[in-house]
Amino acid sequence: MKLLSSYLKEMKIASRGFYFYIEIFVAIILLLVILVGVDPNPDSKMVEYIYYDMPEEVYEFIIDKDIKEGKIRQIDDTELELKPVEFEVSNKESGEIISYTYEEKKTVLSKTYQKLNPDTGKVKSTIYILDNEEDIQRLSVTTGDIAATITANEEGEFSYRYFLQGYEKERFSNILYILHTYSPDEVDAQRDLQVVREIGVTERMNNQEAVVPVFVTFAGALMGFFIIMSYIYLDKDEGVISAFAVTPSAVWKYLLSKTFVIITTVVISSSIIVIPIMRLKPNYLLFYMFLMIITYAFAALGLLVASFFDSISKAFGVLYLTMIALMLPAFSYYISSFDPLWLRFFPTYPVLQGFKGILVGQADLAYVLTYSLVFLVAGTLLLALANIRFKKSLSV
Amino acid sequence: MISVKNLSYSYSNDEKLAVKNISFEISKGETFGFLGPSGAGKSTTQGILTGLLKHQMGDVMVAGYDMKKVQNERFNKIGVSFEQSNVYSKLTALENLKYYADLFDGPTRDPHELLKIVGLDGRENDRAGEFSKGMKHRLTFARSMINNPELWFLDEPTTGLDPAIAATIKDIIRAEKAKGTTSFLTTHNMYIADELCDRVAFIIDGEIKLIDTPKSLKQKYGKKLVEVEYVKEGQLYKETLKTVEDADRQKIADIVKSYDIQTMHSKEATLEEIFIQVTGRELI
Ligand SMILES: Nc1ncnc2c1ncn2[C@@H]1O[C@H](COP(=O)(O)OP(=O)(O)O)[C@@H](O)[C@H]1O
Ligand SMILES: [Mg+2]
């Protein structure tokens, strides 16, 4: 009862303050920026990986023909890096699933072409030709780009095996142009659609969706950490903590009700972004559970830090460094070639990975639940420590 | 209600003591005044007795609880009014009291009634942030009564208030005393101490110089003052002299012998004069 009343009081105070609206305002602005400013599937970056499963003469003939017709042009060969990856390939028609595991890194040299728009002559996409199907599958799954194997039978008819990540219905029209001369109908008749999915993280996100895990991670972690500290220092400045300290109510109730306020704010601001962009994809039950636990844990960290300093200016150094450290994993999220092992020890790393899965509706349940438990326990320990610290230092 | 033995406190946890080895007892129903200039250690003592400052040295029992142990439920019996007002500026006067009331286990007083007696009726739904300093102080004061405390800590209850409001506050303290509330009141205002307290302690530089009732203090020190007005070389002089000090006695004799006395009577000293007499320092 005290906890509820305390929570309602803190909510009232928060809703009459500044930080509450800042977070919501930032969420709305970001939503607008994403919706208006980010093209979900920009054509300009189209990349295709192709494997011609046919005698070299046949394939060279096709390429030469396309070059002569001005459809493509050759550029310098490219060195492609194939990362270790685990994935499965499922055949849309037969439902058959095959798993692949590659543990070694591998570098291949690939013939590289640019596909041109026949009308404007502008580059439409980059095409890498590789000499086996595994490599193109691997590249497709790690980069999210389209791959296809083109086969010729004895009658000289071509058939296509596409490797997609499953979401790009709209992009399918684009792949029909992968190279050729054939009309879409013809291709459709001969296609053999395969879906490649990386194990662990599965469905790819479009550019708009890709912003969301980062936002919710930092809404939960950073805002939880930073805003709860601001609230504590507001209370310290007003001296209301001393007034609280001479009541029979326990300190942990005060701390917990602050934490709940932060969780409420984070849930609201995250929903503003997540619901319009991810729509029905996420498992919302899992999403809100994970979000609340993450916010709880980082708010508890903020409380502990706040208990060591009696003003926000004194806490600023620690605050700043912690925020930077928590943000680092975002670099590896955006720059996939930057994924050093040490980065995995940052607490926001698993948070980001967890959200990525949950938001596309293909969470690795064991992963999410394990980390939920870890953060729940860690948060509770931090809160217990903060409680001890605050009991000692409430009067300052 | 309160028993303090050999209490010392250092903010820096070293030999620099803000409160030095003080001892006193406060019985149930008593209004006990801590009188001393600012920086004497009054608020520090209140801080230790309320548990806001961590207990360091000495034995302190408050409302039956040993202050070496932390027992939150003792606050159901205790009310604390702070020297610096500390209310939520974003909450209204009424909300401030209501939410505070929810923190206690037992029955609490009607917030409307409390706001009325401190003269904040009509402002119930205004945010405390819009209040003047005096109004915030009254709200802090009203809040300290919300749980019907048996033991009431009042740190400078009238400081900074205009005289009319100070008079209201004094009336409230008297009314609470009539109900049997025990109060620990700190002040640097000797009138307050004189009017409200059953006993006062003179505190200076963290040390208690004496503890007595205002009445007995006046009896002990008051009669021994002589105020004399006399004419010397055509000019009127006025002096207050102590009959206990040889130099002053000699001076009285000289004046009587040499000059024309206009008026001369023994005078009851104010607590302030007694304070100066006892401690050699002024109450500021
Ligand atoms: N938070 C604090 N940290 C360090 N010293 C303090 C603190 N509060 C008070 N003091 C010092 O302790 C002494 C007693 O202060 P205080 O109890 O506030 O006096 P009073 O209430 O009688 O005016 C003063 O010398 C004061 O400077
Ligand atoms: Mg003081």
Side-chain angles (χ1 to χ4, degrees), chain B residues 39-55:
Chain B
K42 305 184 296 293
S43 298
T44 306
T45 308
Q46 173 167 325
I48 301 160
L49 298 185
T50 54
L52 282 174
L53 295 176
K54 206 170 145 33
H55 172 271

Side-chain angles (χ1 to χ4, degrees), chain B residues 11-12 16 18 36-45 83 155-156 186:
Chain B
Y11 281 100
S12 40
K16 213 173 141 262
S38 79
K42 305 184 296 293
S43 298
T44 306
T45 308
E83 184 175 5
D155 198 351
E156 310 272 1
T186 80

